[in-house]
Amino acid sequence: MLLHPAHEPTIRCLSIPLESLSEEDDKAMQVRHWWEVVEQASVETALTYEVMAHADVVDCYGSIYTHSIPWAIHGKKTSQENKRNPALFGNAIDWLLQDMHLGQTNGIPQGSVLMDFLAELVLNLADRMLAEELEENGIAGYLVLRYRDDYRIFVHDSQCCEAILKCLTEVLIALGLRLNAAKTKTSGDVVRDSIKPDKFAWLTKNQRERNLQKHLLIIFAHSLEFPNSGSVQRALTEYYQRLAMRTGLDDPLALVSIATDIASRSPRSYAVCAAIIGKCLSALDSDEQRQGVAMAVLRRFRQLPNTGQMEIWLQRISMKCCPDIDFLEPLCRLVQGHATEIWNSEWLHVDELRQAVDAQKAFDPERAAAMEPVVAPVEVELFARRGWYY
């Protein structure tokens, strides 16, 4: 990839959803794929290009025009000439998406591989339109790496970079999308800006300290600068791998306080922060003390909006030592045996279907009883220990 041979495309999509064929799960493989084919490839391009631009699409999934999906599959001209033809596969997808969104033609759901693939169809259409636009304008000597709605543009001079960004803006507008002007930046430091700022900052810091509390404070300081970042989650995961091996802890309450503060700023770290808190609870002297600390953490998160996921994890770590804590999150109440409606199934008129989606079946009491009070690292880590950094 270093010299970008002539037969390789100058606009490359690097985000087609992947399926892991090894013990590594799909999400872990996708993150590693980002590191290998986006960040590593970007660093390598510094041998060939002197200028880099980084841009992304504003609210990509929420802005996708559903009619653009049949455009991507069949071509815009064919789609518009047959826009009411039910035999056109793209039309069927378009209409289903509208039905999922109260008839609206803007926006597709997020969170599934299927929707990632549909988004890729539209973004691939943008790639093809951009290639045609650049060719028509006589623009050459560039490389564009696209990962979902994230664009990295590599060129030899800033003037060419501005021309490509202008063409990209026009192409996206034609599809109902637009670049995030506030996040679009051009740099002459390709190596430095090929790596995410939070990751670069973490790599250049003292990442480890023999004292457990000082080690966690290093991560805390990083989380203040880069809240909810991947580097914070990775640092906490490695920290918990270290913490889990300890049989005794000094100042466990201080560790609970620090981990709680980190989690309050970084929701993606809820699981590993809860595991840290759970390990600290195990170091306390009595169930009464454990319950008091768990309740203090719970009260802290109840002051914040949308923290149901953290309540689930707090129930996970306190279930054995503090079974009497009352949680508000519906899934937690279901675990405690309360009659709880997780989703409305009254509209299902077939008893067999209604029984099949019975929320009570989501909880297995036997598995819950067999769980250890201290969370195993494998339960919260995305990766096992590896020699590379994501």
Side-chain angles (χ1 to χ4, degrees):
M1 179 174 243
L2 288 176
L3 299 180
H4 312 302
H7 65 272
E8 290 194 13
T10 51
I11 301 178
R12 301 180 196 167
C13 167
L14 305 174
S15 50
I16 295 297
L18 302 174
E19 179 183 7
S20 175
L21 300 178
S22 66
E23 293 182 358
E24 184 177 68
D25 67 33
D26 292 345
K27 184 178 179 182
M29 183 179 183
Q30 199 75 40
V31 174
R32 178 164 58 83
H33 180 69
W34 163 273
W35 164 249
E36 291 176 348
V37 305
V38 179
E39 289 192 326
Q40 288 289 79
S42 297
V43 170
E44 292 174 2
T45 60
L47 288 173
T48 309
Y49 299 100
E50 296 79 37
V51 177
M52 169 189 174
H54 190 185
D56 62 25
V57 178
V58 177
D59 187 25
C60 181
Y61 282 57
S63 302
I64 286 178
Y65 188 44
T66 60
H67 294 339
S68 65
I69 293 174
W71 298 352
I73 297 172
H74 308 290
K76 188 171 183 178
K77 184 173 184 295
T78 300
S79 298
Q80 289 181 331
E81 290 174 350
N82 296 272
K83 60 183 179 181
R84 300 189 184 281
N85 184 352
L88 217 60
F89 179 60
N91 285 346
I93 298 174
D94 181 4
W95 298 337
L96 285 170
L97 289 170
Q98 290 183 51
D99 288 344
M100 294 169 66
H101 208 192
L102 301 177
Q104 296 184 42
T105 57
N106 284 92
I108 65 173
Q110 282 184 264
S112 73
V113 174
L114 175 59
M115 294 303 159
D116 290 344
F117 184 73
L118 293 179
E120 284 299 331
L121 291 177
V122 176
L123 292 167
N124 180 262
L125 172 60
D127 292 345
R128 287 181 276 134
M129 293 170 62
L130 177 61
E132 293 171 2
E133 187 77 12
L134 295 177
E135 185 176 1
E136 288 177 7
N137 284 273
I139 300 173
Y142 64 87
L143 174 69
V144 177
L145 302 180
R146 181 181 62 76
Y147 189 92
R148 295 186 181 170
D149 61 344
D150 181 284
Y151 289 86
R152 295 178 178 218
I153 301 167
F154 302 91
V155 291
H156 296 292
D157 60 77
S158 56
Q159 186 175 359
C160 179
C161 188
E162 292 300 322
I164 293 174
L165 285 170
K166 180 177 181 295
C167 290
L168 177 59
T169 298
E170 293 171 351
V171 163
L172 292 174
I173 288 174
L175 295 174
L177 304 171
R178 60 188 177 91
L179 286 181
N180 189 333
K183 292 186 178 180
T184 300
K185 66 174 184 176
T186 303
S187 169
D189 193 345
V190 177
V191 172
R192 168 65 181 81
D193 288 310
S194 291
I195 301 172
K196 287 183 176 180
D198 67 291
K199 186 181 298 184
F200 190 88
W202 182 245
L203 288 169
T204 56
K205 286 177 179 174
N206 172 24
Q207 298 181 8
R208 198 173 178 100
E209 162 66 46
R210 292 186 65 182
N211 179 280
L212 281 170
Q213 184 174 329
K214 290 180 180 178
H215 185 179
L216 191 56
L217 283 171
I218 291 171
I219 300 172
F220 169 72
H222 185 69
S223 73
L224 293 178
E225 189 176 0
F226 299 100
N228 210 36
S229 63
S231 58
V232 170
Q233 185 180 14
R234 175 62 172 175
L236 288 167
T237 300
E238 293 181 344
Y239 178 81
Y240 187 60
Q241 289 169 343
R242 180 186 178 197
L243 184 71
M245 294 188 292
R246 295 295 185 95
T247 54
L249 298 177
D250 296 326
D251 300 319
L253 293 181
L255 298 183
V256 169
S257 181
I258 298 167
T260 300
D261 202 291
I262 293 173
S264 70
R265 304 167 195 273
S266 302
R268 68 193 297 180
S269 70
Y270 280 171
V272 65
C273 284
I276 292 169
I277 294 167
K279 175 66 176 179
C280 294
L281 290 180
S282 72
L284 299 178
D285 295 330
S286 66
D287 283 350
E288 182 180 2
Q289 191 177 11
R290 294 184 187 100
Q291 178 157 336
V293 173
M295 283 300 303
V297 174
L298 182 59
R299 283 193 294 269
R300 172 73 182 275
F301 281 95
R302 282 184 177 167
Q303 296 173 13
L304 304 173
N306 305 317
T307 55
Q309 184 188 1
M310 190 60 179
E311 281 210 18
I312 292 170
W313 277 104
L314 289 175
Q315 184 183 53
R316 161 68 183 91
I317 63 172
S318 64
M319 189 181 297
K320 293 295 180 70
C321 64
C322 321
D324 298 328
I325 295 178
D326 284 326
F327 292 92
L328 301 179
E329 165 62 33
L331 285 174
C332 294
R333 295 184 61 77
L334 184 150
V335 169
Q336 292 178 318
H338 298 289
T340 305
E341 183 179 83
I342 306 299
W343 46 71
N344 184 352
S345 58
E346 292 180 359
W347 57 277
L348 292 171
H349 301 297
V350 180
D351 288 340
E352 289 80 0
L353 284 177
R354 195 158 39 243
Q355 292 172 10
V357 298
D358 181 5
Q360 297 296 329
K361 294 181 179 179
F363 174 60
D364 185 340
E366 292 184 4
R367 290 191 65 180
M371 289 192 304
E372 295 293 331
V374 176
V375 176
V378 71
E379 193 175 333
V380 295
E381 65 187 11
L382 185 60
F383 297 95
R385 292 172 184 259
R386 297 186 183 277
W388 48 268
Y389 182 90
Y390 72 80

